Amino acid sequence: MHLLTIPPLLLLTLLPTALAHGYLKSIIVDGQTYEGWQVFSDPFLTPLPVRYTRTYKDNGAVPDFESKDITCNVGGNVPIDVNIPVKAGGQVKFQWDQWGSSHSGPVMTYVARCPSGCKTFKGDSGAVWVKIDQMGYDTSKTPPWGSDMLAKQGASWTVTIPAALANGEYLLRHEILGLHVAGSKMGAQFYPSCSQITITGGGSANPTGVALPGAYKSDDTSGVLVELWKIQQGQTTYVPPGGPVWTG
């Protein structure tokens, strides 16, 4: 057996880049773990194991967040055959493979109702995305940035599915936004992922939301085109993109 040896100097060069990115590895509901697309192994597996997130190209950010790649990440936004059962009012835990604290920014989660089932729905047009959870920059918390809190929690984040949402199939979109180089146009780094869920035990609410693409603008100086140090020194107020959280 032949082992690939990476020179130490090259390894040190690659390490910061590898640690800077991340992807959603699994979703946990009611103690059951649902594995997501594994970017470094699944492209080479035959047959492919059952996965509960739509595929994405790699663990990097979406290069053009004003394009349809922002909907469910780069990779074609291809519907899958399986949904995760979730009770309205129940919790969903997102487990990332890793997250570096240098990539500070908000954590946001949306749902989009699949009108005729998620196997035929991409959610890449219309105001279908309803924000159900977010943490931007909150100085009452330690750490104050949502992504840094996620990292502190072992690269995990837990949200509650609103009890008022109507039963049915939804896309569940979870995302980290890294703002470490967001001072230049198109520098903001969005890391979205989509899974398919079936909500039961819900209410009758069918809210409208925002469009993705559409809601994130490269010239948004409140949430996208921003400089971390100005926010952290209190020189400007940070407002996450995508509008407020729907409270039901």
Side-chain angles (χ1 to χ4, degrees):
M1 179 171 61
H2 298 281
L3 298 177
L4 177 63
T5 301
I6 302 176
L9 183 59
L10 178 58
L11 181 61
L12 289 174
T13 302
L14 295 174
L15 189 58
T17 300
L19 293 178
H21 298 160
Y23 68 94
L24 181 62
K25 187 175 182 180
S26 62
I27 299 168
I28 299 96
V29 179
D30 291 334
Q32 176 75 34
T33 297
Y34 299 89
E35 296 291 338
W37 177 254
Q38 308 299 304
V39 297
F40 298 117
S41 59
D42 284 357
F44 310 103
L45 297 180
T46 304
L48 182 66
V50 175
R51 298 304 189 205
Y52 289 87
T53 60
R54 295 185 174 183
T55 62
Y56 19 89
K57 180 182 177 182
D58 52 34
N59 67 340
V62 174
D64 183 357
F65 55 79
E66 293 183 335
S67 74
K68 288 188 175 182
D69 286 336
I70 194 60
T71 309
C72 290
N73 211 322
V74 181
N77 189 9
V78 179
I80 55 179
D81 293 330
V82 289
N83 289 9
I84 300 172
V86 180
K87 297 181 183 71
Q91 291 189 324
V92 175
K93 181 179 179 179
F94 301 98
Q95 182 63 57
W96 290 68
D97 71 317
Q98 63 179 13
W99 192 256
S101 60
S102 64
H103 281 38
S104 296
V107 177
M108 301 174 284
T109 305
Y110 301 78
V111 293
R113 186 175 176 86
C114 303
S116 301
C118 292
K119 291 183 181 180
T120 59
F121 182 69
K122 291 192 172 185
D124 56 7
S125 64
V128 298
W129 291 101
V130 178
K131 187 183 286 184
I132 62 169
D133 179 82
Q134 76 176 5
M135 179 179 169
Y137 185 70
D138 185 347
T139 55
S140 70
K141 298 180 180 179
T142 304
W145 281 110
S147 65
D148 296 343
M149 183 68 75
L150 179 145
K152 180 182 178 180
Q153 296 171 165
S156 71
W157 196 261
T158 300
V159 305
T160 298
I161 301 300
L165 281 177
N167 294 342
E169 295 189 20
Y170 292 78
L171 287 182
L172 178 62
R173 181 181 180 279
H174 179 62
E175 173 179 58
I176 300 174
L177 167 55
L179 297 173
H180 50 294
V181 290
S184 59
K185 197 167 186 178
M186 299 302 290
Q189 295 188 359
F190 291 85
Y191 297 80
S193 64
C194 290
S195 55
Q196 299 173 192
I197 63 173
T198 300
I199 294 179
T200 58
S204 59
N206 187 22
T208 57
V210 299
L212 293 168
Y216 298 164
K217 302 293 187 182
S218 59
D219 59 356
D220 172 11
T221 55
S222 295
V224 177
L225 183 60
V226 298
E227 294 185 86
L228 281 176
W229 68 272
K230 289 184 178 180
I231 299 167
Q232 292 165 177
Q233 291 187 10
Q235 296 185 23
T236 184
T237 300
Y238 182 72
V239 180
V245 172
W246 178 71
T247 59

